[in-house]
Amino acid sequence: MVACFGAGCFWGTEKYFAKDFAKKFPESIIGTSVGFMNPDPKNSAYPSYEEVCEGNTGHIEVVFILYDMTKVHYEELVKFFFTFHDPTQQNRQVSDKGT
């Protein structure tokens, strides 16, 4: 099964899931990858990292997580996500605070 989360920097979000979540739920994360999402079909399908970071494309950085649903439920991924992501702060996660 695939889950997708956006929380500011995709590298940090990917690390939290690939390392920290995987320790809590061994063998549950099969793989991760990072990319961009934007629901507006008029925007570029393939923006550069620099374009996204400038904040003018409407895209957000996301991490895609391939997980084994026989070892962990989606609800656990969501609960974990909100341990480091504050949805009231746009494009922020715990490691971004103070930067």
Side-chain angles (χ1 to χ4, degrees), residues 24-39:
K24 187 174 181 180
F25 294 95
E27 300 178 12
S28 62
I29 303 295
I30 299 166
T32 61
S33 65
V34 299
F36 308 113
M37 286 186 108
N38 185 327

Side-chain angles (χ1 to χ4, degrees), residues 12-27:
T13 304
E14 181 183 40
K15 178 200 133 323
Y16 285 129
F17 278 103
K19 305 268 193 238
D20 302 335
F21 186 85
K23 286 179 187 174
K24 187 174 181 180
F25 294 95
E27 300 178 12

Side-chain angles (χ1 to χ4, degrees), residues 32-78:
T32 61
S33 65
V34 299
F36 308 113
M37 286 186 108
N38 185 327
D40 187 348
K42 296 176 194 162
N43 286 335
S44 171
Y46 303 101
S48 71
Y49 181 77
E50 291 76 18
E51 290 171 326
V52 173
C53 289
E54 288 172 3
N56 300 321
T57 68
H59 289 79
I60 60 168
E61 296 180 39
V62 296
V63 62
F64 301 93
I65 301 164
L66 181 61
Y67 68 99
D68 185 337
M69 58 190 276
T70 66
K71 298 190 189 294
V72 69
H73 294 277
Y74 177 72
E75 181 179 280
E76 294 299 330
L77 293 163
V78 174

